[in-house]
Amino acid sequence: MTATDAQPQAGIAGAVRERSRRRAVGADPGARPVPGPGERHAADPSEPRSPDPHERRTPAPRATGLRDLCLLVLAPLPLLAVALPLAVTGGGTRRWFGGRGEGQRAEAQAAKDAAAEAFYELDTAQRDLKISIETITAVDSSPAARKAVDDFAALGRRIDEASHAYITAVDAHDLDRDDLEPSVAARARAELTSAKEQLIRVKGELDRFGAGLGPLLGSAETQLARLAPAVERARQALLGASNALDSVRASGLRADDLAARLAALAPELTKLNQGAGRHGVPETLQRADRVLRDAEAVRAEAEKLPERAAEIDRRLVTLRTRAQALTTRSASVEPVLSELRRRFSAACWQDLQPVPEQAAVNVRRAEEKLKEAAQARDEQRWADATSRLSTVRALLNTTDEAVSAAGDRLRRLDDVAKDPQQEIQRTRFAIRDAQRLAMAGRQTPEPRHARPLDDAVARLDQAVTALENRHPDYWHFLTVTEGLRRIAADVVADIREERGAGSH
């Protein structure tokens, strides 16, 4: 949109411009034309030429002279005395060779031309700035933008006042009159000069206001510049998602959920096609970004769907094999428990009693979930298939840990029963290492470090003494020593952290 395309401003300035245009084309007979700054109309040889307010009207010397000559030739002699002065003066009262009146007229006409130029420049600046305001309001609804609109409206009222003063001054004086008095010309010049100065002052305000719109206008133009590319990217993303979906379907996969998600974007595409003029620039930008993001997600999932189907098929095979292996391993838990019962006290194996039954239940549930996952895969319910397979994996992991724990328990109890000293020395070394670190560079250790280490030494001595019982609880002994090593490790970590922080 250009300045010449803008609608005329309502109010006085709009009426002024309309009146000027009508006069320029002769649509207002009887009215004197208002100077249109910068406007020049080409003469039409088929129509009478309208008087130009910037040209001074003077009688045509050749036509007047010929007419006077005829009068002199044809008139009776007594009339020559009357006609001769008329021929000399050209039939009017204006003097041919200037004078004070002509000088005043020229000055008034120059003031009129200058005022017309100021009016034209103000009108052009106002039209251009109106486009900037419309650009801002189309994008920005912030308080700063609303204030700019209000300030522009206030400037518009001052522009109307200045334009009205200019038109009033132009209409009040006909500078082309033959009998223009010097005093009238001087008054016209003063009024037109005043009107010009008022127009220039208002234009100065308009220019300063326009300069202050820089940040708002820059932001608005940036968003408008983003608009078309953002909408085009959204459309291309939708096209890419549609093509990816067609390719997946051609391979035999239905992808119904992806098709539904893509169909849900159709109303958003319709709104994008309706444009920002209907839905607003910020909303259209947000919609384009959302459509782009959602369409890209659909396209990415569609492209990965064949790989996802193949991965589900592999997991089905792997988990079936693992479930079968766990079924075989679960059968070995009962012999391990029998050995534990025969050789060790009840405290060493009592917590493992439910393992065989729980393993069988878990494997059975895993096999049921595998069947459900396979059915979901056949129906191409990919999310359901993945969820069922995750459940199967968790069940098999729990069962594997329980079955492994039984065999590991027997092995560890065998080792400590044969040689408890290895476990004792390992634990004493961990405690002594922590004690040496706590004493490094100190006369006495920190109580919060010394106390847990001293307690660990006492508890280790008690656990070693308990091994002398007739039926020692080796599992309790292993649990205690493992806990004491963990306490020593915590003390070491705390000391190193504290000293590391102090060194910084």
Side-chain angles (χ1 to χ4, degrees), residues 224-260:
L224 286 174
R226 287 179 49 209
L227 185 61
V231 171
E232 183 59 25
R233 285 195 299 270
R235 289 174 179 158
Q236 292 301 319
L238 284 171
L239 179 61
S242 178
N243 292 338
L245 196 57
D246 290 342
S247 177
V248 166
R249 286 175 163 175
S251 68
L253 300 175
R254 290 195 304 271
D256 294 337
D257 56 335
L258 295 180

Side-chain angles (χ1 to χ4, degrees), residues 57 81 190 263 299 317 363 451:
R57 294 183 296 185
R299 181 192 60 78
V317 172
V363 170
R451 187 177 302 110

Side-chain angles (χ1 to χ4, degrees), residues 17-172:
R17 285 188 287 274
E18 181 61 24
R19 187 173 178 182
S20 300
R21 282 191 293 272
R22 293 186 60 189
R23 288 176 176 175
V25 299
D28 190 3
R32 297 183 183 89
V34 176
E39 297 179 357
R40 297 292 182 267
H41 300 282
D44 186 346
S46 65
E47 297 181 1
R49 182 177 181 272
S50 299
D52 188 341
H54 295 282
E55 296 179 2
R56 184 177 302 161
R57 294 183 296 185
T58 59
R62 294 175 62 89
T64 304
L66 180 61
R67 182 189 62 192
D68 293 344
L69 180 61
C70 291
L71 287 173
L72 289 173
V73 172
L74 299 177
L77 186 59
L79 296 178
L80 291 177
V82 177
L84 187 58
L86 294 176
V88 173
T89 61
T93 60
R94 183 184 300 178
R95 292 183 298 176
W96 285 6
F97 303 106
R100 183 172 179 273
E102 289 303 309
Q104 294 286 358
R105 185 195 301 273
E107 292 176 359
Q109 185 64 48
K112 182 179 179 181
D113 292 344
E117 184 66 23
F119 175 80
Y120 174 77
E121 291 178 357
L122 176 60
D123 179 71
T124 301
Q126 184 184 21
R127 289 173 182 266
D128 291 344
L129 199 55
K130 184 178 181 182
I131 296 173
S132 299
I133 289 293
E134 290 172 349
T135 301
I136 292 171
T137 54
V139 175
D140 195 349
S141 59
S142 65
R146 291 195 296 270
K147 182 178 184 301
V149 173
D150 294 341
D151 292 345
F152 182 69
L155 271 173
R157 290 189 289 272
R158 292 198 287 279
I159 292 170
D160 287 347
E161 294 171 1
S163 300
H164 179 68
Y166 162 69
I167 292 301
T168 301
V170 170
D171 284 347

Side-chain angles (χ1 to χ4, degrees), residues 61 67 80 164 171 189 205 228 265 283 288 390 394 412 458 480-481:
R67 182 189 62 192
L80 291 177
H164 179 68
D171 284 347
R189 178 180 61 80
E205 294 181 32
L265 295 176
E283 292 78 6
S390 297
R412 293 182 65 189
V480 169
T481 54

